[in-house]
Amino acid sequence: MTTSGSDAIFETLLESAKRLSFDPRDPLVCEPDSGGVEFHGMTPEWSPLFGTATWDSMTEPERVRLTRSEVAQFLGVGIWLEVGLQVALLRASHSADPARSDVKFLFNECADENLHSLMFVNVIDSIGSHFYRRDRSLDFFGWLFRTIAWDEVAYGIVLAGEEIFDVMQRDWMASEDVAAPIRRACYIHVIEEARHMAYARQKIRTRLITISRVRRFISTLVIAMGTHLIAKSLINRRMYEDLGLDWKVVGAEIDANEHHRIMFRRAAEPFIEFLSREGLLNFGARWIYRKSNLL
């Protein structure tokens, strides 16, 4: 696609941002639901423990507490990813012409992402849950990502997280079993992230036109490894132990849970299809995505 064609896409996305943007600081977004103890943090089917012996042995209030803790973990990873995205992309664009259409949209995207992070923090507080500390290995990866990630790798890893969360949140926002603050936040996030994903896809396509086969091969593997870490970070041992569960038991159940693998593969389908279309799915990458339960 020509530069002018890309510019037209970015200008269209900017126009979309003018028409379809929300202020997630509105108190109605994260207002606690009335008597909300019976509402889940996310659709129960998305719980990695759904269908296991541990899940079947739980009372409904225990399952509600579990999914509220799990959604805090998932959204915590989302915040971590969005902050890393901004650092990496703003660093790469620090000396760029601020009047370029893609740079202008990047400014708009960063404004959105900051408000999304604030929205998620407030929403988790509104359902009485809290975030959990990440493994140090993930923080090290975050440092690598925001420090050295090059164009198609940065956008590819970010797109992975956005696509996976998008599929999940479309389910959550439509489920009457999910707490109202989560549903409202997911609705806002799905609408605004649609243009962010379109932006990332176009930036990847434009960059792939000019890179060598060797660089494409390396980028394909690095994107897969980054996506693997994102997928694995959604399962946090500390969260389950905080709920009084035996990690040795629940960890083994999650690893053996075919339902969990099916749901994760479903979440990754749009992302995997995009990679396949753009030639970013070689043998090594496919092996990594299978290890991540995403393929």
Side-chain angles (χ1 to χ4, degrees):
M1 179 174 290
T2 64
T3 301
S4 59
S6 294
D7 288 342
I9 290 174
F10 298 136
E11 291 294 345
T12 299
L13 293 175
L14 280 167
E15 287 300 316
S16 172
K18 292 178 183 178
R19 297 193 310 272
L20 287 172
S21 289
F22 301 85
D23 187 349
R25 293 166 295 185
D26 185 337
L28 290 177
V29 173
C30 52
E31 179 184 356
D33 27 64
S34 56
V37 292
E38 71 271 23
F39 293 104
H40 285 272
M42 58 183 175
T43 315
E45 287 77 9
W46 283 104
S47 169
L49 276 175
F50 183 84
T52 64
T54 296
W55 176 273
D56 292 341
S57 69
M58 287 179 164
T59 64
E60 187 60 17
E62 288 173 336
R63 292 173 180 171
V64 166
R65 186 184 175 207
L66 171 67
T67 60
R68 289 188 175 212
S69 296
E70 288 172 329
V71 81
Q73 173 62 22
F74 283 28
L75 295 184
V77 171
I79 292 172
W80 171 82
L81 185 63
E82 290 186 341
V83 172
L85 154 72
Q86 293 177 74
V87 174
L89 299 187
L90 288 172
R91 174 183 55 78
S93 302
H94 184 256
S95 299
D97 180 358
R100 269 176 25 199
S101 57
D102 61 323
V103 177
K104 287 193 295 182
F105 185 81
L106 176 61
F107 295 155
N108 189 94
E109 176 165 353
C110 287
D112 286 345
E113 300 292 18
N114 280 309
L115 289 176
H116 292 168
S117 295
L118 179 61
M119 174 177 68
F120 289 153
V121 170
N122 292 337
V123 162
I124 292 306
D125 181 64
S126 77
I127 64 169
S129 193
H130 64 275
F131 298 104
Y132 296 86
R133 185 165 59 88
R134 293 177 301 275
D135 290 334
R136 290 182 179 178
S137 61
L138 194 64
D139 285 335
F140 175 70
F141 167 73
W143 174 80
L144 282 177
F145 170 71
R146 63 181 182 264
T147 304
I148 67 173
W150 53 97
D151 289 356
E152 68 274 11
V153 165
Y155 285 107
I157 293 174
V158 166
L159 183 62
E162 290 176 340
E163 293 272 22
I164 290 169
F165 279 117
D166 183 71
V167 174
M168 292 180 179
Q169 291 180 351
R170 286 176 185 274
D171 264 9
W172 302 351
M173 73 183 194
S175 173
E176 295 183 357
D177 292 332
V178 175
I182 298 293
R183 296 176 65 185
R184 285 191 288 266
C186 287
Y187 175 76
I188 291 173
H189 197 246
V190 163
I191 289 178
E192 296 191 340
E193 286 295 330
R195 57 179 176 261
H196 297 180
M197 291 188 290
Y199 175 70
R201 292 187 203 106
Q202 184 56 39
K203 293 292 284 187
I204 293 170
R205 291 189 190 103
T206 301
R207 198 68 187 96
L208 291 178
I209 293 171
T210 60
I211 65 174
S212 66
R213 289 185 179 182
V214 172
R215 175 164 165 171
R216 180 187 289 264
F217 178 81
I218 295 171
S219 295
T220 295
L221 293 179
V222 175
I223 291 170
M225 289 186 284
T227 304
H228 173 80
L229 287 171
I230 293 170
K232 292 303 181 184
S233 70
L234 297 177
I235 310 298
N236 190 336
R237 172 178 184 162
R238 295 181 181 89
M239 187 213 74
Y240 292 104
E241 290 178 338
D242 183 62
L243 294 173
L245 298 172
D246 185 339
W247 171 247
K248 289 184 179 179
V249 174
V250 299
E253 287 182 330
I254 291 171
D255 287 342
N257 189 357
E258 181 59 24
H259 175 82
H260 167 60
R261 288 194 286 267
I262 290 171
M263 296 299 282
F264 264 40
R265 287 196 293 268
R266 173 185 161 197
E269 278 180 5
F271 177 63
I272 297 297
E273 289 174 3
F274 172 80
L275 295 179
S276 181
R277 288 196 304 270
E278 302 303 324
L280 292 170
L281 200 60
N282 58 29
F283 176 82
R286 287 180 180 275
W287 182 84
I288 294 170
Y289 290 124
R290 290 191 185 98
K291 288 292 183 180
S292 311
N293 296 324
L294 299 177
L295 185 64

